[in-house]
Amino acid sequence: MVENNLIHETSPYLLQHAHNPVDWYAWNDEALKKAKDENKPIFLSIGYSSCHWCHVMAHESFENDEVAKFMNENFVNIKVDREERPDIDDIYQKVCQIATGQGGWPLSIFLTPDQKPFYVGTYFPVLDSYGRPGFGSICRQLSQAWKEKPKDIEKSAENFLNALHKTETVHTPSKLEKIILDEAAMNLFQLGDATYGGFGSAPKFPNAANISFLFRYAELTGLSKFNEFALKTLNKMAKGGIFDQIGGGFHRYSTDAKWLVPHFEKMLYDNALIPVNYVEAYQITKDPFYLEVLQKTLDFVLREMTTPEGGFYSAYDADSEGVEGKFYVWKKSEIKEILGSDADIFCLFYDVTDGGNWEGNTILCNNLNISTVAFNFGKSEQEIHDILNSCAEKLLKVRSTRISPGLDDKILVSWNSLMITAFAKGYRVTGDQRYLSAAKDCISFIEKNLLVGEKLQRTYKNNTAKIDGYLEDYSYFINALLDVFEIESDQKYLQLSLNLANYLLEHFWDSDANSFFMTSDNHEKLIIRPKSNYDLSLP
């Protein structure tokens, strides 16, 4: 069986490509030196293990012997896991946004041997289709241009580099005045979907940071409509298919405006950030509905994403057995067989029909109140609640015998830190000791395995910690330590947060611009030293 250089990596994403006929390298000195020594352009492909379109492009292009042969002869081919190397991803995502107006994964970039981009895109089909050039054609054209029009390539690369430097520079200092908050709140409100909640149309992402902001803005101003909109969004999400109704936890985003059909991957960071929204919703309303969603999500992480040593895994794929969503969907006949006489109640509540609501299957969602179902079946609301819970347990047991989606089992400090915060905040509203224990166990895990002196490593797998920590690793971990310190008042949490904060200021602070770099001053030098100034999927 063919093997390439990725066979020596720990990243599940890189290992997925270790048997491609493409002669892949990880991003390292050997690969970058090879490009310079042989004067070959670099093809850089950035993705992550649970990315559906990354799998599609890999299958179409990188497993294609003919395409691989051309790539190997004409390029030095480098694969990057964006979760391991957010700095590389950040730089070239910005280039993609400059060039095309949008980014995404898989990210496909052609670079000069000194890492300057000259052509960029995301997913390319292998063959020309719908007026779009295929990946094979692009490789041929760029290889020819590299040999015959080097000045054009150089000019394109310089243009990208100049534009990139401009995105990194903040020219005018500003104060955080209320008028900026007013403007942000109104802009979000105008983007809001008045019917289904959330921001924009399809696809719809949870945007946890936006919800937290609206809660705070409502508190600051006394304007209840911002609270109402945030609560509506959380209600609609929790009742839609983006929430795993029987297993708990949130999928990455909804492909439609109603939150019904998710992109089925489950990311640790979503299941760390979104629960905090439900904690806040419960604190505002005292409605047990929000508490139940919180508990189902945290219990899912405890059950399916926690390592025996106390760390948290990164993600589950969308696909199982090569089919997206297969693990999560149901046929009505299957549900009736499992649930027997309770099936009619369950099917009414979760909108299960013979025809299904997605490709002949049913994604469980909930558009009815328990009171309506109770009235229909002549039972009390508590009886219906108990029946639904019992049914969910039976279905979860059956589902656990299915072939599970692939698990990305690397452990990232930043995402683990967000999860510590979620468990700490979850403990504060539930009093469930398991949640506080999970938070403390994870801190111990990071201390033992990912802290070298006062320096954090980013990622851990197969008993190996590697890659210097990024700004997000330090800042989220410091924040998590303080969240647990507020509950425990144990001096060790405060002391460790102080040590890390001192390291952060010493090695990440830009005193000229009064802001933080994404990477430390002893990190590998890239074409720019990136900064991240806005909320994306992570704050």
Side-chain angles (χ1 to χ4, degrees), residues 428-441:
R428 297 191 96 153
V429 292
T430 64
D432 190 328
Q433 197 62 43
R434 295 176 307 145
Y435 300 159
L436 181 57
S437 296
K440 289 161 67 177
D441 288 349

Side-chain angles (χ1 to χ4, degrees), residues 170-177 180 513-514:
V170 179
H171 293 290
T172 50
S174 61
K175 283 183 181 171
L176 187 58
E177 293 170 338
I180 295 175
N514 289 331

Side-chain angles (χ1 to χ4, degrees), residues 1 10 74 140 195-196 207 324 362:
M1 194 177 194
T10 57
N74 295 280
R140 282 191 295 276
T195 309
Y196 299 107
N207 291 122
E324 185 174 3
T362 292

Side-chain angles (χ1 to χ4, degrees), residues 235-236 238-240 245 289 344-353 364-377 381 384-385 388:
N235 267 293
K236 295 290 187 183
K239 293 181 174 185
Q245 298 293 335
F289 170 78
D344 288 344
I345 289 172
F346 186 89
C347 289
L348 179 64
F349 187 73
Y350 284 110
D351 195 27
V352 182
T353 58
L364 299 179
C365 65
N366 155 29
N367 298 316
L368 288 179
N369 292 323
I370 280 187
S371 57
T372 307
V373 181
F375 177 77
N376 275 16
F377 286 90
E381 288 186 27
I384 295 295
H385 193 269
L388 290 171

Side-chain angles (χ1 to χ4, degrees), residues 215 227-228 230-232 234-235 277-291:
F215 281 150
N227 257 352
E228 287 157 13
L231 292 169
K232 170 183 269 188
L234 295 178
N235 267 293
N277 291 155
Y278 286 89
V279 168
E280 292 173 351
Y282 176 71
Q283 288 172 321
I284 291 163
T285 64
K286 294 294 181 276
D287 184 338
F289 170 78
Y290 299 114
L291 207 57

